[in-house]
């Protein structure tokens, strides 16, 4: 399997320009990608279908804590990056860490298509389109790709206090990884 590359932030502008000079159609999507689930996978596959190169911005641990609270993310950024690298639909990953500028990555990449979710940032879709629209060719808003979400999974695990919800999550992850030919064991063993 070809390894997805991480784009160092300081090389991002030059790197993306080279891709565009080669005629690539750049698609960008951003997120935390915590406790990866089937909705995330379907979302990224749908994003990839819109262009030739999919760049996935991933929120740093620091940024995630600032936005979602002290107990998030569940999965540390290094592991989240590695998981995204394993997905065939993801071409490049870039770590997003700027707490002050939510538009920075979009402004630097200037994607042909920016993919956002209807659930992005608590329904602030019009504000996002206004803030980021002039930095990209098109903004495509995708509906949720599954009935689950990371937040709902975490709530279910906490609420039930049982292993059942966690086992469902692990089974979902195993199926997603199997589909992509990735060896996965939910017991933490190699």
């Amino acid at each position: 399997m070809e390894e997805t590359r991480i784009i160092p932030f300081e090389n991002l502008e030059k790197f993306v320009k080279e891709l565009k000079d080669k005629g690539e159609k750049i698609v960008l999507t951003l997120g935390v990608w915590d406790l990866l689930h089937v909705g995330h996978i379907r979302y990224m596959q749908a994003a990839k279908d819109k262009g030739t190169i999919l760049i996935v911005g991933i929120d740093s641990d620091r940024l995630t804590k600032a936005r979602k609270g002290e107990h998030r993310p569940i999965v540390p950024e290094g592991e989240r990056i590695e998981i995204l690298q394993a997905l065939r639909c993801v071409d490049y990953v870039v770590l997003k860490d700027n707490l002050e500028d939510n538009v920075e990555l979009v402004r630097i990449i200037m994607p042909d298509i920016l993919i956002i979710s209807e659930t992005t940032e608590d329904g602030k879709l019009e504000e996002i389109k206004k803030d980021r629209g002039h930095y990209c060719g098109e903004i495509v808003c995708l509906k949720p790709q599954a009935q689950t979400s990371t937040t709902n999974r975490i709530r279910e695990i906490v609420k039930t206090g049982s292993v059942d919800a966690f086992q469902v999550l692990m089974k979902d992850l195993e199926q997603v990884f199997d589909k992509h030919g990735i060896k996965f064991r939910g017991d933490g063993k190699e």
Side-chain angles (χ1 to χ4, degrees):
M1 177 171 58
E2 184 180 323
E3 186 176 315
T4 305
R5 290 180 278 169
I6 300 172
I7 309 170
F9 197 81
E10 58 275 7
N11 300 341
L12 185 58
E13 193 169 2
K14 179 182 179 217
F15 183 79
V16 171
K17 182 184 180 323
E18 289 172 4
L19 290 173
K20 288 180 179 183
D21 288 347
K22 292 178 185 176
E24 301 290 0
K25 186 174 183 180
I26 308 295
V27 178
L28 173 66
T29 193
L30 310 162
V32 176
W33 316 110
D34 199 12
L35 285 181
L36 198 69
H37 57 75
V38 71
H40 289 138
I41 303 297
R42 291 174 183 161
Y43 178 87
M44 284 184 268
Q45 287 172 331
K48 173 67 177 195
D49 289 344
K50 303 286 183 193
T52 58
I53 297 290
L54 175 60
I55 299 174
V56 177
I58 185 169
D59 291 355
S60 69
D61 289 348
R62 184 175 79 103
L63 184 57
T64 302
K65 283 184 188 322
R67 291 200 177 138
K68 295 189 176 275
E70 191 57 36
H71 299 292
R72 296 286 302 277
I74 303 296
V75 179
E77 69 191 39
E79 291 180 28
R80 290 182 286 130
I81 289 169
E82 189 174 336
I83 290 168
L84 289 177
Q85 287 179 312
L87 300 177
R88 280 185 228 138
C89 59
V90 177
D91 296 298
Y92 299 99
V93 177
V94 63
L95 186 65
K96 181 179 173 210
D97 191 44
N98 192 335
L99 294 173
E100 293 76 40
D101 189 350
N102 203 23
V103 182
E104 179 184 40
L105 208 55
V106 178
R107 186 175 52 246
I108 292 170
I109 294 174
M110 295 181 65
D112 296 293
I113 299 175
L114 174 64
I115 304 290
I116 61 176
S117 169
E118 285 183 353
T119 61
T120 299
E121 298 185 29
D122 302 322
K124 297 179 183 176
L125 296 179
E126 291 310 311
E127 180 181 325
I128 289 168
K129 289 178 181 179
K130 180 182 164 199
D131 287 348
R132 300 171 193 173
H134 51 283
Y135 296 118
C136 47
E138 179 183 0
I139 295 179
V140 174
C141 186
L142 295 178
K143 294 181 184 294
Q145 302 294 303
Q147 290 185 350
T148 190
S149 73
T150 300
T151 301
N152 287 341
R153 286 282 167 93
I154 292 168
R155 279 188 197 128
E156 186 63 28
I157 291 168
V158 171
K159 182 178 85 175
T160 63
S162 71
V163 200
D164 294 341
F166 185 73
Q167 287 173 337
V168 168
L169 170 65
M170 297 310 290
K171 185 175 180 172
D172 285 352
L173 281 174
E174 285 177 23
Q175 290 173 351
V176 167
F177 279 85
D178 283 347
K179 181 178 177 183
H180 292 278
I182 302 165
K183 184 178 175 187
F184 174 81
R185 288 182 61 155
D187 58 8
K189 297 177 182 173
E190 298 279 330

